[in-house]
Amino acid sequence: MVLRIGEARCRASASGRWMFGVAVGILAAVPGATSAQPAATDAPAATVAGEIAHLQEMGRLFPTLGKSVQKAPGIIPRLELDPDPSGFVATYQPGGLSVTMGNPFFQNLGTNGRTCFTCHQPADGWAVSAQHMKARFAASAGQDPLFRPVDGATCPSDDVSTPAARRQAYGLLLAKGLFRIGLPLPANPEFSITGVDDPHGCNTNPLTGLTGPNSGIVSVYRRPLPATNLGFLSSIMWDGRETSLASQAVDAILGHAQAAQPPTSAQQQQIVAFERGLYTAQLFDAGAKSLSTNGATGGPVAVADALAGFYPGVNDPFDGNPRGIPFTSEIFTLYGKWGGFPGAGPTSAARQAIIRGQDVFNQTRINITGVTGINDVLGVPVVSGSCGTCHNTPNAGNHSLAAPLNIGIANAGASSPPGLDISGLPVFTIACNSGPLAGQVFQVTDLGRATITGKCADIGKVKGPILRGLAARAPYFHNGSATTLRDVVNFYDQRFSIGLTDQQKSDLVAFLNAL
């Protein structure tokens, strides 16, 4: 059976190898041990509380040696321009420039020198790219505030006493831009973690990781999400564990910045107001030149304009639009008018490639198979969709309703994602003991939303991010497994057997770089 989007009225709801089997009692002698499950009854709140408790305990056991403090520019201008590998990324603030002095987004509110700005910089689309991480490591011998063992190292217990040791400890940060995320297993999950192959040993050491098949801390490694274009968000964090931008700011300062106390309510409001006032997109392409001329609407000013038409559920492909407006796969309408200015020469050729790439994104049919969160929920093996099925928000590209999905990026073993690099990531073997998937076994590099809900159906599920400013923030996917946007395109082409030609792939990359 094949379900075609728009034809059915249905709604999808939203180091070393270690095998468990030997009793572990080490944590019983450690004050503040992290093996206990959080007492909170709300699953996301319990997860976040356990995450913060773990980070604070790791900070006490393995204190930060570096004393450097993150520096900030004096102002962020109303229109900020920064070079990136494809041209220039730009950030627009409709409310005018921001003075950083006194703005808590740029203040050292913790104990390790980090600020929000440490991991969210305009030149990286308000995230942080692996390219700039390497440059910051080289400039500081690995003592920039970015490099802190609590979550920057592959494990907080790593040796960071010398530049050579720091290079090894921060290997995943430098290679793939990945931070360690330590999350507690939920109470009474449907599954057990029966094995872990962890090259870094963080999950297999009961002091820093798991203490049994259903207890302790799971360390996964993820990219930071951009702190811009946040008005389009339908969920916060890759796994949706944060309930608001204010709570996310508090938890980041308590955890990543290792603060002794949370920011005040006023500081929280200032951080959120600053973030919500940022709009970021590619404004200049090295080949196509300005992306906002001759009728094109690239760049961040148009992103701010697009937000006016956003509401939760807009253009939802599964009948989730509260206004009843039908879904359209024409997600991006930025560059269609360039077709009326064919011209000649390399600039025109580059623009025509972007137009064609936009058409590939909007019009290419994709047979969606094996995606948990779509095929299993709808009960059909094949859904005839498009890029916009999962990236449906007009001119933003994320999902307008919370819709965590597993398209296979977190898979490992025999189901490893084609064309992606998952080397250096731990592999968890998970056995489902109860629930609808009882008896099934999964191998994944990241449990995804299942770490929050304890449901086997949520294993490997993460959200799709907003697609604007992509050129500035490589590598891609939550686990940094795609080094380039061509790797992203190749993965989708192989994963769903789309059959893109080399020309279509190149055009699609040109378009994605122009977002």
Side-chain angles (χ1 to χ4, degrees):
M1 177 182 178
V2 177
L3 177 70
R4 297 185 183 279
I5 300 298
E7 293 181 356
R9 303 288 286 180
C10 48
R11 172 77 178 96
S13 63
S15 139
R17 185 180 299 274
W18 182 41
M19 300 301 291
F20 290 108
V22 178
V24 180
I26 295 177
L27 280 185
V30 178
T34 56
S35 60
Q37 303 299 334
T41 56
D42 178 72
T47 299
V48 171
E51 177 189 13
I52 300 306
H54 168 70
L55 288 172
Q56 291 176 341
E57 178 64 14
M58 292 300 98
R60 288 188 288 269
L61 292 175
F62 310 105
T64 295
L65 299 177
K67 300 298 182 183
S68 57
V69 176
Q70 182 65 52
K71 296 180 180 180
I75 63 167
I76 304 296
R78 190 178 192 217
L79 183 64
E80 164 96 10
L81 291 172
D82 293 283
D84 65 22
S86 187
F88 282 85
V89 67
T91 294
Y92 171 61
Q93 298 182 87
L97 63 81
S98 292
V99 177
T100 62
M101 182 177 293
N103 187 323
F105 187 93
F106 301 91
Q107 287 180 327
N108 178 20
L109 302 178
T111 61
N112 62 12
R114 283 177 171 173
T115 70
C116 301
F117 186 67
T118 301
C119 302
H120 299 283
Q121 303 207 336
D124 297 320
W126 293 95
V128 61
S129 68
Q131 174 191 8
H132 285 155
M133 287 181 176
K134 292 173 184 176
R136 290 165 69 175
F137 186 95
S140 67
Q143 298 196 46
D144 182 288
L146 185 68
F147 304 100
R148 295 293 183 254
V150 68
D151 60 0
T154 54
C155 198
S157 58
D158 287 349
D159 177 17
V160 292
S161 62
T162 67
R166 290 192 286 274
R167 185 171 294 279
Q168 179 173 344
Y170 300 119
L172 281 180
L173 203 58
L174 294 171
K176 298 179 180 180
L178 300 177
F179 287 87
R180 185 187 70 89
I181 309 298
L183 301 174
L185 282 174
N188 304 312
E190 292 180 348
F191 55 83
S192 297
I193 299 179
T194 59
V196 184
D197 189 354
D198 186 351
H200 314 293
C202 206
N203 284 287
T204 55
N205 181 348
L207 189 64
T208 58
L210 294 162
T211 58
N214 302 107
S215 61
I217 295 292
V218 173
S219 286
V220 293
Y221 300 85
R222 297 175 183 170
R223 296 281 289 122
L225 285 159
T228 185
N229 302 325
L230 299 185
F232 295 101
L233 287 183
S234 55
S235 61
I236 303 172
M237 312 298 283
W238 288 107
D239 53 18
R241 66 185 183 275
E242 291 286 358
T243 57
S244 71
L245 292 174
S247 69
Q248 189 275 329
V250 172
D251 297 331
I253 290 168
L254 287 174
H256 303 305
Q258 298 176 271
Q261 58 187 20
T264 66
S265 296
Q267 289 172 325
Q268 295 172 42
Q269 293 170 11
Q270 284 180 277
I271 291 171
V272 172
F274 173 74
E275 291 176 329
R276 291 185 69 90
L278 300 174
Y279 298 89
T280 301
Q282 196 76 4
L283 183 59
F284 183 88
D285 181 84
K289 309 307 180 187
S290 173
L291 298 174
S292 60
T293 58
N294 296 116
T297 54
V301 175
V303 177
D305 293 338
L307 184 61
F310 174 79
Y311 53 89
V314 63
N315 200 39
D316 182 81
F318 299 113
D319 197 27
N321 191 322
R323 301 180 185 178
I325 301 172
F327 167 77
T328 174
S329 67
E330 299 292 312
I331 307 301
F332 287 99
T333 57
L334 307 177
Y335 300 112
K337 291 185 178 180
W338 266 353
F341 300 87
T347 299
S348 178
R351 291 183 175 183
Q352 296 305 310
I354 291 173
I355 295 172
R356 293 193 301 268
Q358 180 173 268
D359 289 341
V360 171
F361 187 98
N362 288 337
Q363 299 174 11
T364 300
R365 301 307 299 173
I366 301 174
N367 288 327
I368 300 170
T369 59
V371 175
T372 52
I374 295 182
N375 299 99
D376 57 336
V377 174
L378 298 177
V380 292
V382 182
V383 172
S384 178
S386 63
C387 295
T389 303
C390 300
H391 299 279
N392 69 291
T393 301
N395 290 318
N398 62 321
H399 207 289
S400 63
L401 290 174
L405 304 173
N406 180 9
I407 64 173
I409 296 166
N411 289 356
S415 301
S416 294
L420 299 183
D421 178 14
I422 60 171
S423 62
L425 299 176
V427 175
F428 303 90
T429 300
I430 304 172
C432 294
N433 306 316
S434 61
L437 302 182
Q440 294 194 31
V441 176
F442 297 86
Q443 283 193 310
V444 292
T445 59
D446 193 320
L447 278 67
R449 189 159 173 78
T451 311
I452 299 170
T453 66
K455 303 294 185 183
C456 283
D458 287 334
I459 291 173
K461 282 185 179 179
V462 295
K463 74 170 186 176
I466 296 166
L467 298 184
R468 304 308 296 260
L470 284 174
R473 61 177 200 259
Y476 304 101
F477 294 132
H478 73 277
N479 58 8
S481 56
T483 303
T484 66
L485 287 172
R486 184 60 178 251
D487 294 331
V488 172
V489 171
N490 285 337
F491 163 74
Y492 279 105
D493 185 52
Q494 295 177 62
R495 167 65 175 84
F496 295 107
S497 301
I498 301 173
L500 297 174
T501 66
D502 285 343
Q503 181 69 65
Q504 287 175 315
K505 291 179 181 179
S506 296
D507 291 343
L508 184 52
V509 169
F511 166 67
L512 295 174
N513 273 320
L515 290 176

